Amino acid sequence: MLSMSDTPINKFISYFAETNTNVAFLVPTPTGYKKSIMDATKPLRELLKLSDVHDYEKQRQGPENKVTIESHFITAEDVIDTSASLYRPNTKHGDPRIWFSDLKKYCSPRNLLAVLVFDKALYVINLSNKDIQKSLCSYGHVFSFLQMSFSEYISASEELLKKLRAIHKKGFIPSVTKGDPGVGDTLENELGIKRNNAKTPDYKGIELKASRISKNGEKKTVTRSTLFTKVPDNGLSYSEILDKYGKVQIPRGKTEPRKQIYETLSTQKYNAYGLKLEVDYDGDKLNLIDNAEPTPNVVSSWDFEILRKTLLIKHHETFWVKAASEMRNDLEYFRYDKVTHTKNPNALLLAPLIDNGEITADLAAHIRPDGTYRDHGLLFKIFPKNIHDLLSDENHYDLANDD
């Protein structure tokens, strides 16, 4: 679609980069313009999903399932209110569509349109318009709008940091759940976030990762932090891996045996289940292989393109929060003390970091005594000391001392 644009996109990229603005581009074709319809391209769909505005994958087909989103046109001197219709037609495969009310008054066919999300609303900038180009390139109204969006983005992290300082001042807070998840669940509860397993970030586009740094005054052994969860894209499914390679064992603290597979996957060696990871640079894949003789079998694989995308969505910006923990009458309490704030992961380093063993993956699945299957996700993890290799743009805060 962009190849049909009457305006080259390259001359504008630097302005969106300078203001750290997430953007998707649309070009109305002559036919679509006439019919008042545009394809919702994959980058646009990802922008809307990442911004928690709309998920086309969950939208049903048909006009009765159309969704209307608050939208605005940016001109060289003003902001004009409009609305966007997001829908999937009954025809064909229900390919995602979008249209902006009164778009024909704002642009012409083949114009290059930039779509931004700001405070859950869509903003459209016609980059083919000469006056808008001048306003952007001369740091006028259009560029000022991008800066305003960026300042809101900054304020989200500042707002979260302010809330974390207030939570720290409360001292030790009783855990809302037992066990390992308590440190994260309690923090999210204090922030008013409901527990979820979503692949998108937790707080206004910011991912939260909480862990314990001490327990009852004793420094806690450093453990790996979960980056994201992702089942294989090809080969055996997670449940099939359990079925073929799992073992009947008695879990710790239990008395009844079950078939399970709880083990770390690394490129460095085969694990107790005879499995390891292997990076295929030429194919841009991460393979799960077994120790079959004379030639190991490729059991399953991940596409690195998808893994990189998963990382960028999950950790575009992250607060790694450290908590002191102590037990009181069999109930755990947390005091949240430190924060590492990271942004803009270098996703191209994902493959070499897995290859040298800095990033590993955990299998965590079993079959219950009643025969039902259960897994805790296939967890890609990294040690805190290695986080800066992947997420180099970082700041550290001591919540007790910083104002």
Side-chain angles (χ1 to χ4, degrees), residues 323-342:
S325 161
E326 63 178 44
M327 299 299 296
R328 301 178 183 176
N329 298 322
D330 295 326
L331 179 61
E332 191 171 15
Y333 283 69
F334 301 106
R335 187 188 66 213
Y336 298 91
D337 290 345
K338 299 180 183 296
V339 174
T340 297
H341 179 199
T342 62

Side-chain angles (χ1 to χ4, degrees), residues 212-213 218-223:
R212 300 163 177 83
I213 52 175
E218 297 290 330
K219 189 174 181 180
K220 199 172 184 299
T221 302
V222 177
T223 58

Side-chain angles (χ1 to χ4, degrees), residues 194-214:
K194 293 182 179 179
R195 186 178 182 185
N196 65 82
N197 294 314
K199 295 182 179 180
T200 50
D202 301 304
Y203 185 90
K204 297 186 178 181
I206 302 172
E207 176 71 3
L208 283 166
K209 288 291 183 183
S211 60
R212 300 163 177 83
I213 52 175
S214 66

Side-chain angles (χ1 to χ4, degrees), residues 224-241:
R224 294 166 299 148
S225 297
T226 301
L227 287 170
F228 54 82
T229 62
K230 182 69 181 71
V231 297
D233 303 304
N234 312 287
L236 296 186
S237 67
Y238 203 170
S239 60
E240 289 170 338
I241 294 171

